[in-house]
């Protein structure tokens, strides 16, 4: 994670918020550029999106991506944060990994995080008129 963080920071200054041995925290405004870099850079080649999930920490939401390079047999956890409970937003990665489609819609439906640029951002489990997002800590 730290080695990859230095590569990303060299190409996209200011995009990395924090890093550890096996994960990165990325500035949400830079997330799409960082994701593109992680997928397209030779030697990294994170060509497979294993999963996406979200965590509600009250003060912010964290979207967690598990990426894998099938070619190099390595994986990475990348996190990005969005602040504000009214309209939390992060860029969609459906254009990079088609497998993000339903996962981003699930997070939108259950947590209320909008994925900007998603081609079909609508509820996937709950009905259209459902009020709120049931996996949020403040859901009543």
């Amino acid at each position: 994670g730290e080695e990859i963080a230095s590569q990303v920071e060299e190409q996209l200054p200011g995009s990395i918020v924090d890093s550890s041995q096996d994960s990165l925290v990325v500035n949400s405004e830079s997330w799409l550029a960082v994701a593109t870099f992680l997928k397209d850079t030779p030697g990294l080649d994170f060509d497979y999106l294993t999963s996406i999930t979200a965590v509600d920490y009250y003060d912010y939401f964290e979207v967690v991506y598990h990426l894998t390079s099938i070619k190099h047999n390595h994986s990475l956890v990348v996190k990005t944060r969005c602040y504000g409970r009214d309209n939390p937003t992060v860029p969609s990665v459906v254009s990079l990994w088609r497998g993000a489609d339903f996962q981003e819609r699930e997070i939108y439906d259950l947590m209320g995080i909008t994925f900007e640029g998603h081609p079909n951002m609508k509820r996937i489990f709950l009905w259209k008129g459902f009020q709120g997002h049931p996996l949020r800590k403040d859901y009543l």
Side-chain angles (χ1 to χ4, degrees):
E2 292 167 345
E3 182 182 318
I4 293 171
S6 65
Q7 289 180 38
V8 171
E9 192 63 29
E10 185 178 310
Q11 291 297 314
L12 303 162
S15 60
I16 302 297
V17 175
D18 193 17
S19 65
S20 67
Q21 185 176 349
D22 59 356
S23 69
L24 307 175
V25 179
V26 175
N27 180 330
S28 64
E29 291 81 25
S30 304
W31 167 230
L32 189 56
V34 170
T36 303
F37 179 82
L38 293 172
K39 182 178 182 202
D40 295 342
T41 301
L44 298 179
D45 300 303
F46 287 101
D47 53 355
Y48 185 72
L49 174 69
T50 307
S51 66
I52 310 171
T53 191
V55 182
D56 182 353
Y57 286 106
Y58 282 120
D59 295 335
Y60 59 90
F61 294 98
E62 193 167 73
V63 183
V64 183
Y65 299 82
H66 293 90
L67 305 176
T68 301
S69 170
I70 295 171
K71 181 178 183 179
H72 301 292
N73 194 29
H74 58 230
S75 60
L76 179 68
V77 175
V78 183
K79 304 172 185 179
T80 190
R81 296 176 180 156
C82 48
Y83 296 86
R85 301 194 75 76
D86 293 333
N87 190 24
T89 304
V90 296
S92 173
V93 292
V94 170
S95 62
L96 297 173
W97 298 289
R98 290 292 301 157
D101 186 0
F102 287 178
Q103 295 179 71
E104 288 180 351
R105 287 181 57 196
E106 176 183 4
I107 292 167
Y108 166 72
D109 195 5
L110 301 176
M111 294 289 268
I113 300 169
T114 301
F115 290 86
E116 192 172 290
H118 191 284
N120 189 21
M121 185 86 312
K122 64 181 183 179
R123 289 189 180 270
I124 193 168
F125 294 119
L126 302 169
W127 55 96
K128 188 176 181 180
F130 188 88
Q131 296 296 309
H133 304 282
L135 289 186
R136 284 188 175 195
K137 289 185 176 180
D138 59 358
Y139 180 74
L140 299 175

